[in-house]
Amino acid sequence: MSAEQHIKLPEGSIEKTTTTLNLGPTHPATHGVFQNILELDGERIVSAEQTVGYIHRAFEKLAERRPLYQITTLTDRLNYCSSPINNMGWHLTVERLLGVKTPKRVDYLRVIIMELARISDHLICNSVVGVDSGAFTGFLYVMQYRELIYEIYEEICGSRLTTNMGRIGGFERNFTNAAFEKIEKFLAEYPAVLKEFENLFNRNRIFMERTIGAGPISAERALNYGFTGPNLRAAGVDYDVRVHTPYSSYEDFDFEIPVGSTGDCYDRFLVRNGEMWQSLRIVEQAYRKVQDMKGSEAEIFHADAPAYYLPEKKDVYTKMEALIWHFKIVMGETEIPPGEVYQSVEGGNGEVGYYLISDGGRSPYRLHFRRPCFIYYQAYSELTKGAMLSDAIIVMSSLNLIAGEMDA
Amino acid sequence: MALTNETIKERLIAKFGDEVSHFEEPYGFLTFAAPKELNLKVLQYLFDDEELRFQFLTDLTAVHYPDQAGRELAVVYHLHNLTDNIRLRFKVYTSIAQPDVFTATQLYSSANWMERETYDFFGINFVGHPNLKRILNVDEMDYFPLRKEYPLEEQTRVDKDDAMFGRGALPAAANRGTIETPRHDREARVPASGTPGVEQGKQDWPTDTTKV
Amino acid sequence: MARPVRFNIHPIKADVKDNISMANMPEGYSGEGFFTTNLSSVVGLARKNSIWPMPFATSCCGIEFMATMASHYDLARFGAERLGFSPRQCDLLMVIGTIAKKMGPVVKQVYLQMAEPRWVMAVGACASSGGIFDTYSVLQGIDQVVPVDVYVPGCPPRPEAILDGFMRIQDLVGQESIRRRHNEQYKELLQSYGIQ
């Protein structure tokens, strides 16, 4: 439908036939700061232009100043809904550069944490899609279980959101019994909650009519736009970094990849729900595997890499070698091989990549984050062409755009 | 027969001869370079060829090597063949005096914003880009911040005292010229990939903290 | 090294009487059918228990704010049930998260659109002082552009900390004199920010 059908302007008129609507950068709190300038013809969107960068915090420049072990705090703040995944991805990158091999127990513990983080990310996204279509209850209901995930993080690293979890080579301390009890509690109670959340939304007529057909994308266009993660899987391509290039012993686990067909908001919602079920499966399997490890194997929580993993504080105060290693690691005099490495992990939004160029010094020469949100937000104008304004809102929230990851 | 790094290397050399060079495999990841005039031809070949099929652009970024005269800025493309699960890294070098590189947006729509980000940070002019303007920084910014000569901190702030943070004398007023900061007044260090010679790690923290 | 589990595994049965607090009456003289006090105390009491905040959430602290809004650390019990997203209808501007230089004019514009009396709360280290991002693109604290009443430190602050900041705002609101917005000191403060 074109503007000429409805509005006839005289020749030489400077008026436009479309309305310009500025959506953002401040819009209802839940999304983050990015701007869309929409040209509307009545209720339909003719074109959309995005502006990002309202929270550009210069992570890449900042990383050139920080030693490798301090960059974990920066990676937290990329996709802050699932910050442990970013942390683990960074540790894997550095471990690949340094040639550090982590023991199985560390891998399984990392898998538990990453999958819990994935559940927490998808919970935010799906409940916010609900809020944007008018259903606030789902959000309040699942946030309770996000609080339980936060308590699990607190038991392990002390912090709820920006976790800075783990160290290069493993974790900073073994998981406590309290952490394991909370993980068990989560595994016992969460499936019922997810079932109820699905009952509220999956076959809900209003929700289905809002989301089916909103912002579809074909698999070829999605691949060309560099989509990864649930958005790509909703379009029908089963690309998952955990399966294609397994890291952290993901090949030991048995799980499926939910895939959609049309790539619209409803498919994305269902794919995320499906992924939460699969994540739950993986956490159960990993938890079993960790509990089955007995004796001294159950005490391992880091790799044997004294050149990169800080020794225990009591050893630093009593033993000479530990003191020397501690000094060397902090002052940056350990052997860091020069070279370049690219490592990717499956984050909540897709392939989070770390391109690290090291020149042998304590900080990277260049660190680049491959941020999925930044890459697929470009497709927004294509996704919303011809859609109605309310669909534009739903598409924006179903893409799970995290501003921290977009602007870095 | 599964696609291997060897096969890709042979195909590329067969097609482009000695235009493609600097083949390396750091950590198992095939990396090579080509002159910047050929970047689209190489990308198109990798996209169209039935065996190679590198049809997914994972990442596009740049690196600044201030000490390689004539080849200061390197544009790095990370490509992925999803069906055979092979990744590839392709670099083109350009000089900082004339940083023009052909845009890849015709081939990959995802390159659009990635090239804008690279322009924003390094100043590489992507010839043929539909909308090459700054994306992450403010539009009025007149320098390219990720180049090595510029410092991390904002120069006009008055509340934080650099001497307290171990960063030597910096002028209070905005000075966007070549600022000597302790991080950069060592000798240059460049990684092994793509250039001869490797500098081993030197200390990273400033040695002279008495300058105020 | 087993540590006794303390939280949330075996929740205590809570008694409803522990959880209700009554707002205190302001001081004044009362008698049969009348009560005299300052106008500012009454107005302050009414205002502080019905603040309409505007969450200007930008980044990670925004997720902690969402947790504060949710049922576990409910913000609604302080009277801030209705979060307004239009500054024209709000009293409290909560700037939650990093403000980049690109976003600075937007914060200023939103502040100007609010009607008096208005308060500003800077939630998080980034809003208070730039936080860990001492870089060329981040505004080192929103007090470079707007006058701030309460700063809540933390990266991100726990929901309890955000609630504590909110209670400090409530103290400020409750004790504010009615003439405050008209006096010289306040006008000078706004002048120093370039706000008429």
Side-chain angles (χ1 to χ4, degrees):
Chain A
M1 79 164 55
S2 63
E4 284 76 66
Q5 287 177 308
H6 301 282
I7 303 174
K8 296 249 183 311
L9 292 175
E11 284 300 318
S13 164
I14 57 166
E15 290 196 17
K16 290 187 344 213
T17 56
T18 54
T19 319
T20 310
L21 184 68
N22 184 15
L23 198 65
T26 56
H27 39 88
T30 47
H31 294 297
V33 282
F34 34 86
Q35 183 185 35
N36 268 307
I37 301 178
L38 303 171
E39 295 285 334
L40 296 168
D41 171 25
E43 185 82 16
R44 299 249 162 215
I45 295 176
V46 171
S47 72
E49 189 194 322
Q50 295 93 286
T51 313
V52 296
Y54 286 102
I55 194 167
H56 174 56
R57 297 181 277 192
F59 280 114
E60 299 183 3
K61 187 85 183 175
L62 205 48
E64 291 175 11
R65 182 68 70 88
R66 301 255 168 282
L68 294 177
Y69 47 83
Q70 284 185 358
I71 294 178
T72 323
T73 52
L74 293 181
T75 57
D76 275 334
R77 284 141 178 97
L78 282 173
N79 182 346
Y80 36 77
C81 297
S82 54
S83 32
I85 300 183
N86 305 331
N87 292 148
M88 301 304 163
W90 171 245
H91 293 140
L92 289 165
T93 313
V94 178
E95 285 162 15
R96 178 177 280 210
L97 178 73
L98 301 174
V100 171
K101 182 86 184 54
T102 46
K104 279 285 176 192
R105 185 166 188 268
V106 169
D107 283 346
Y108 294 153
L109 292 176
R110 280 182 171 169
V111 165
I112 294 179
I113 292 296
M114 285 198 275
E115 294 305 317
L116 285 175
R118 193 186 315 283
I119 292 178
S120 112
D121 197 348
H122 289 334
L123 275 181
I124 288 238
C125 180
N126 275 356
S127 54
V128 164
V129 171
V131 169
D132 282 344
S133 59
F136 199 64
T137 316
F139 169 76
L140 289 177
Y141 191 52
V142 296
M143 286 303 266
Q144 279 290 87
Y145 282 85
R146 282 198 91 235
E147 293 291 329
L148 187 51
I149 296 180
Y150 278 172
E151 287 190 18
I152 296 173
Y153 293 165
E154 273 183 321
E155 287 293 336
I156 298 166
C157 69
S159 163
R160 287 160 52 103
L161 184 75
T162 48
T163 48
N164 190 12
M165 195 181 279
R167 301 284 174 260
I168 297 167
F171 284 93
E172 59 268 45
R173 61 183 74 85
N174 201 352
F175 282 25
T176 54
N177 288 338
F180 284 124
E181 284 193 35
K182 287 186 181 171
I183 295 175
E184 266 191 55
K185 178 173 196 241
F186 184 79
L187 288 172
E189 296 185 2
Y190 184 63
V193 173
L194 190 53
K195 199 92 188 45
E196 188 157 348
F197 185 72
E198 288 195 327
N199 285 346
L200 279 177
F201 283 101
N202 279 12
R203 303 303 297 171
N204 180 326
R205 184 167 173 181
I206 302 175
F207 186 73
M208 285 169 77
E209 296 209 4
R210 278 304 296 270
T211 50
I212 292 183
I217 190 165
S218 67
E220 294 79 35
R221 288 308 293 154
L223 284 173
N224 206 263
Y225 266 112
F227 273 46
T228 44
N231 297 330
L232 179 65
R233 293 195 276 279
V237 179
D238 64 343
Y239 170 54
D240 186 330
V241 184
R242 296 175 287 177
V243 173
H244 267 64
T245 40
Y247 51 92
S248 188
S249 301
Y250 263 105
E251 60 270 12
D252 296 348
F253 296 98
D254 173 35
F255 60 100
E256 289 162 9
I257 305 179
V259 165
S261 52
T262 53
D264 61 7
C265 297
Y266 189 61
D267 275 1
R268 291 192 273 267
F269 184 85
L270 291 180
V271 162
R272 288 198 169 96
N273 272 344
E275 284 192 12
M276 283 202 269
W277 285 115
Q278 298 304 315
S279 291
L280 214 48
R281 250 173 100 178
I282 300 175
V283 176
E284 272 176 83
Q285 291 171 42
Y287 183 67
R288 281 288 117 249
K289 288 192 200 304
V290 170
Q291 293 295 83
D292 287 339
M293 293 181 170
K294 299 280 181 255
S296 66
E297 211 190 344
E299 299 300 321
I300 301 176
F301 55 94
H302 65 95
D304 184 23
Y308 307 110
Y309 184 86
L310 285 172
E312 274 198 53
K313 216 48 178 192
K314 61 177 172 47
D315 290 342
V316 173
Y317 287 125
T318 50
K319 297 196 185 123
M320 182 59 99
E321 300 84 36
L323 177 66
I324 294 176
W325 278 125
H326 182 104
F327 184 82
K328 284 183 134 180
I329 293 171
V330 171
M331 293 309 235
E333 299 191 355
T334 50
E335 266 301 305
I336 296 187
E340 51 184 353
V341 63
Y342 177 81
Q343 167 75 28
S344 55
V345 290
E346 179 73 20
N349 285 332
E351 178 178 344
V352 181
Y354 300 85
Y355 176 46
L356 167 65
I357 301 183
S358 157
D359 56 355
R362 196 170 69 144
S363 347
Y365 184 78
R366 170 90 173 102
L367 174 60
H368 175 71
F369 299 104
R370 189 252 181 212
R371 314 180 299 277
C373 274
F374 180 71
I375 295 174
Y376 64 62
Y377 190 43
Q378 301 171 69
Y380 185 74
S381 36
E382 193 173 307
L383 288 174
T384 53
K385 217 175 203 41
M388 295 215 260
L389 181 59
S390 38
D391 286 347
I393 308 287
I394 292 269
V395 168
M396 188 156 59
S397 59
S398 79
L399 283 178
N400 199 21
L401 296 161
I402 309 275
E405 194 176 52
M406 209 186 309
D407 295 347
Chain B
M1 192 192 76
L3 195 59
T4 60
N5 285 348
E6 269 308 308
T7 327
I8 303 171
K9 184 172 167 181
E10 282 163 25
R11 300 291 297 264
L12 282 167
I13 294 180
K15 172 87 178 174
F16 292 100
D18 55 358
E19 304 267 323
V20 292
S21 57
H22 291 108
F23 280 91
E24 284 173 315
E25 285 188 45
Y27 304 95
F29 208 111
L30 182 62
T31 307
F32 69 99
K36 65 179 186 180
E37 295 78 19
L38 291 185
N39 72 335
L40 286 186
K41 290 204 173 61
V42 175
L43 288 172
Q44 191 73 49
Y45 174 64
L46 289 167
F47 193 103
D48 293 331
D49 187 87
E50 298 85 38
E51 207 187 332
L52 293 180
R53 277 179 309 193
F54 280 93
Q55 292 168 349
F56 189 77
L57 179 68
T58 303
D59 199 14
L60 197 168
T61 185
V63 192
H64 183 212
Y65 298 106
D67 301 301
Q68 295 179 47
R71 282 156 55 97
E72 288 91 355
L73 292 169
V75 178
V76 183
Y77 302 86
H78 282 87
L79 299 163
H80 195 173
N81 176 338
L82 289 174
T83 37
D84 298 307
N85 196 11
I86 305 243
R87 293 183 191 255
L88 189 62
R89 188 182 294 134
F90 168 44
K91 299 191 185 187
V92 289
Y93 290 90
T94 177
S95 90
I96 208 164
Q98 210 186 359
D100 298 317
V101 177
F102 293 117
T103 180
T105 37
Q106 305 290 353
L107 192 54
Y108 297 106
S109 315
S110 56
N112 191 325
W113 277 19
M114 293 204 263
E115 287 178 353
R116 277 178 71 183
E117 183 193 3
T118 313
Y119 165 69
D120 192 357
F121 286 159
F122 291 94
I124 296 179
N125 178 25
F126 286 96
V127 176
H129 192 278
N131 187 17
L132 193 69
K133 51 181 205 210
R134 288 191 182 266
I135 187 168
L136 294 179
N137 285 312
V138 287
D139 291 325
E140 298 84 42
M141 193 183 244
D142 51 1
Y143 67 106
F144 298 110
L146 246 69
R147 292 192 180 174
K148 294 289 178 191
E149 59 262 24
Y150 299 114
L152 170 67
E153 299 83 9
E154 184 216 336
Q155 297 310 300
T156 56
R157 70 192 182 346
V158 295
D159 50 339
K160 294 189 179 137
D161 187 1
D162 276 314
M164 291 292 159
F165 289 89
R167 293 187 275 269
L170 287 170
N175 179 354
R176 302 250 163 74
T178 312
I179 294 182
E180 292 298 316
T181 63
R183 172 84 168 82
H184 306 294
D185 60 8
R186 304 184 315 258
E187 285 172 22
R189 352 196 208 135
V190 289
S193 197
T195 42
V198 170
E199 306 283 327
Q200 277 306 318
K202 287 195 178 179
Q203 66 193 32
D204 180 38
W205 60 99
T207 45
D208 185 358
T209 53
T210 58
K211 282 191 259 185
V212 172
Chain C
M1 25 177 253
R3 215 192 69 205
V5 179
R6 283 175 296 184
F7 309 111
N8 222 25
I9 295 291
H10 311 289
I12 323 165
K13 213 77 178 71
D15 186 6
V16 70
K17 291 198 221 25
D18 294 334
N19 294 335
I20 300 180
S21 71
M22 306 290 283
N24 291 327
M25 229 166 63
E27 290 177 13
Y29 296 105
S30 62
E32 181 80 34
F34 74 95
F35 176 69
T36 54
T37 181
N38 307 354
L39 183 60
S40 59
S41 317
V42 174
V43 168
L45 177 69
R47 276 184 183 158
K48 80 177 187 185
N49 291 318
S50 64
I51 295 181
W52 285 7
M54 171 169 176
F56 196 100
T58 50
S59 59
C60 349
C61 288
I63 306 295
E64 283 297 51
F65 179 72
M66 281 164 65
T68 312
M69 238 181 11
S71 38
H72 204 92
Y73 297 101
D74 199 7
L75 188 61
R77 52 196 166 125
F78 294 90
E81 168 80 53
R82 184 212 185 259
L83 299 175
F85 294 100
S86 162
R88 305 244 180 234
Q89 299 170 356
C90 292
D91 305 315
L92 171 66
L93 176 66
M94 300 171 83
V95 182
I96 313 175
T98 319
I99 299 294
K101 295 225 182 94
K102 209 166 175 178
M103 198 66 179
V106 179
V107 179
K108 186 91 178 264
Q109 179 76 351
V110 167
Y111 181 75
L112 290 174
Q113 287 176 340
M114 287 170 75
E116 296 282 8
R118 56 193 171 188
W119 292 271
V120 177
M121 183 158 120
V123 178
C126 293
S128 309
S129 71
I132 68 176
F133 302 108
D134 187 4
T135 69
Y136 57 84
S137 64
V138 171
L139 199 61
Q140 302 293 300
I142 57 166
D143 49 11
Q144 313 274 343
V145 290
V146 291
V148 177
D149 292 298
V150 167
Y151 299 84
V152 181
C155 191
R158 283 191 62 106
E160 286 99 334
I162 302 180
L163 290 176
D164 187 45
F166 194 82
M167 292 201 290
R168 298 279 154 272
I169 290 269
Q170 284 188 318
D171 291 340
L172 283 177
V173 173
Q175 290 155 10
E176 181 167 295
S177 132
I178 294 194
R179 314 257 0 125
R180 183 201 172 208
R181 308 278 162 174
H182 302 286
N183 65 20
E184 273 311 308
Q185 209 181 11
Y186 187 71
K187 288 202 170 80
E188 263 177 41
L189 174 67
L190 290 191
Q191 281 294 83
S192 69
Y193 281 97
I195 301 173
Q196 265 67 45

